[in-house]
Amino acid sequence: MKLQRVELRRLDMPLRTPFRTSLGLELRRDILLLRAETTQGHGWGECVALPEPGYCEEYLDGAAEVIRRFLLPAVAAVEELTPARAAAAMAGIPGHPMAKATVEMAVMDAWLRARGVSYADYLGGVRSEVECGVSVGIADSIELLLGEVAGYIEQGYRRVKLKIEPGWDVDPVRAVREAFPDVVLQADANAAYGLADARRLAELDAFGLTMLEQPLSAGDLRDHAALARMLRTPICLDESITSARVAADAIAMGACAIVNIKAGRVGGYLEARRIHDVCAAHSVPVWCGGMLETGLGQAANLALASLPGFTLPADIAPSERYFAADVTPAIVMGTDGRIAVPGGSGNGGGLGLEPDPNVLDGYTTETVVLPVR
Ligand code: NPQ
Ligand code: MG
């Protein structure tokens, strides 16, 4: 298989409801999709970088440029392309994991479609459906938060994750716990705190959270290990875990008891699987994080979340959670809070779904066609 032509598309997709985190307020998703055409067919990749640096150093325009100028020429030079060879061809370029993951995802989709093998089967999935949790942004008031959470529980989500930040933490978590004593509850700070906030964060121990996600900065493994010794609530790392080696270091240092895996953050689905394997070897549970992806990214994440070590509900959502109309046929969640893994050669292998050309054109603000020498 050889890369022949690539299409980079920018989409502007309004969010059904604003999504507020310690990183800021998002009203729309600025999405980059990559369609790779090869000698054996086409495949899709989705870039999860945000429009601006914040969650991590990458940002969408930068990722698009790195893909165009450096990553695609490296992958185009590979004569017999496979997902692993695409990743290896890009490994010589330091950093830019979200840009790399976009290219690897598209090559993997094309390679698998050509062989009628699903992402889930290729990655080693063992489940046909995934338990989904909901990620709830910072609300304008506790009353509004409670109403929103009640709605999600009604829809069947298997767990509730609350975004927190200094000034919006103990009170909203306490209110949700008191209103819903039995809900599986966790909090995500997106690195908004410092070790000096330990006493405040220890107050969260009263609410039976399954985890406190990324309280401190991505680079602070040692501080997370110190904080873990001061809290009863298990620490989960997200932004910090950029590779299998870092996962091994974080576990060895006692910096985390749980890991949130996102293929985009770590450079692709092959590295994501390696992190799953490292964590499984240390009996550290993992779950699949989300970046408010379209159905394409959600489909790939569902496949990843079907691996055996993914034992906690995922930040994978039905299309209706974020978009009035998804670019793919809608991903739907049952009232049991589970989503089926698009799989089996029944629907053509690879991601198992395609964007609808009309919906795609409706959201597209720019298309760049890159002939690949
Ligand atoms: C997380 N937040 O686990 C992600 C990070 C995140 C899914 O709860 C716009 C689009 C804003 C994606 C802010 C979730 C976002 C975003 C935060 C993802 O930390
Ligand atoms: Mg997170």
Side-chain angles (χ1 to χ4, degrees):
M1 188 170 97
K2 196 154 176 4
L3 196 58
Q4 285 185 310
R5 178 179 178 274
V6 166
E7 207 178 86
L8 286 180
R9 270 179 189 258
R10 285 298 276 272
L11 311 181
D12 175 15
M13 298 178 72
L15 286 170
R16 285 188 61 193
T17 51
F19 186 63
R20 189 175 146 206
T21 73
S22 61
L23 302 168
L25 176 67
E26 297 284 332
L27 303 174
R28 323 177 67 79
R29 290 294 281 113
D30 183 356
I31 297 271
L32 172 67
L33 296 183
L34 187 154
R35 185 178 188 279
E37 286 181 23
T38 77
T39 47
Q40 293 177 9
H42 73 282
W44 288 94
E46 177 168 351
C47 185
V48 296
L50 300 187
E52 296 169 9
Y55 170 79
C56 66
E57 304 88 340
E58 290 186 87
Y59 63 101
L60 215 47
D61 291 342
E65 168 139 1
V66 166
I67 288 169
R68 192 169 45 74
R69 286 182 55 192
F70 307 107
L71 301 182
L72 287 178
V75 172
V78 178
E79 286 303 323
E80 281 308 314
L81 197 51
T82 66
R85 289 189 181 132
M90 296 188 282
I93 295 159
H96 306 286
M98 291 176 171
K100 288 174 177 174
T102 309
V103 176
E104 184 207 81
M105 178 178 165
V107 168
M108 190 179 291
D109 188 30
W111 195 80
L112 289 172
R113 283 179 198 274
R115 287 154 180 78
V117 175
S118 70
Y119 251 70
D121 288 345
Y122 177 67
L123 291 174
V126 295
R127 282 186 214 93
S128 57
E129 49 185 16
V130 168
E131 290 201 338
C132 295
V134 66
S135 174
V136 184
I138 292 165
D140 292 336
S141 74
I142 286 189
E143 289 67 31
L144 286 170
L145 176 71
L146 293 177
E148 194 180 345
V149 169
Y152 294 135
I153 292 173
E154 184 63 32
Q155 288 172 42
Y157 284 99
R158 309 292 296 192
R159 90 55 188 131
V160 171
K161 163 170 142 176
L162 301 176
K163 288 293 184 179
I164 62 171
E165 64 180 8
W168 179 268
D169 47 32
V170 173
D171 293 342
V173 172
R174 175 191 296 113
V176 171
R177 174 52 77 212
E178 286 175 354
F180 309 102
D182 302 326
V183 74
V184 177
L185 193 57
Q186 64 195 63
D188 182 2
N190 287 114
Y193 293 86
L195 197 51
D197 300 307
R199 196 177 308 282
R200 176 79 178 169
L201 292 171
E203 292 180 46
L204 295 171
D205 283 344
F207 309 121
L209 300 181
T210 48
M211 70 186 83
L212 172 57
E213 185 181 345
Q214 198 71 42
L216 313 178
S217 300
D220 290 347
L221 291 186
R222 190 162 46 84
D223 280 359
H224 276 105
L227 183 66
R229 292 191 289 272
M230 301 154 91
L231 298 186
R232 278 209 310 277
T233 305
I235 300 285
C236 171
L237 290 179
D238 170 352
E239 289 88 333
S240 292
I241 308 299
T242 52
S243 69
R245 288 187 65 82
V246 172
D249 293 345
I251 293 165
M253 294 170 74
C256 63
I258 301 168
V259 171
N260 162 331
I261 298 181
K262 295 177 184 173
R265 185 190 73 223
V266 303
Y269 285 86
L270 295 176
E271 186 68 9
R273 181 171 58 182
R274 284 190 280 270
I275 293 172
H276 161 270
D277 296 346
V278 164
C279 291
H282 291 79
S283 305
V284 167
V286 301
W287 56 285
C288 187
M291 295 297 281
L292 283 67
E293 294 94 334
T294 72
L296 289 165
Q298 301 284 4
N301 289 345
L302 284 163
L304 180 65
S306 73
L307 269 64
F310 287 81
T311 53
L312 294 163
D315 268 356
I316 296 174
S319 299
E320 64 175 12
R321 166 83 176 89
Y322 296 124
F323 306 115
D326 205 334
V327 293
T328 64
I331 302 254
V332 293
M333 180 176 80
T335 52
D336 58 357
R338 292 186 173 92
I339 297 181
V341 178
S345 49
N347 38 30
L351 293 169
L353 45 67
E354 290 264 8
D356 174 299
N358 298 326
V359 177
L360 196 57
D361 288 344
Y363 284 133
T364 298
T365 56
E366 179 195 35
T367 302
V368 173
V369 176
L370 303 166
V372 172
R373 282 169 298 293

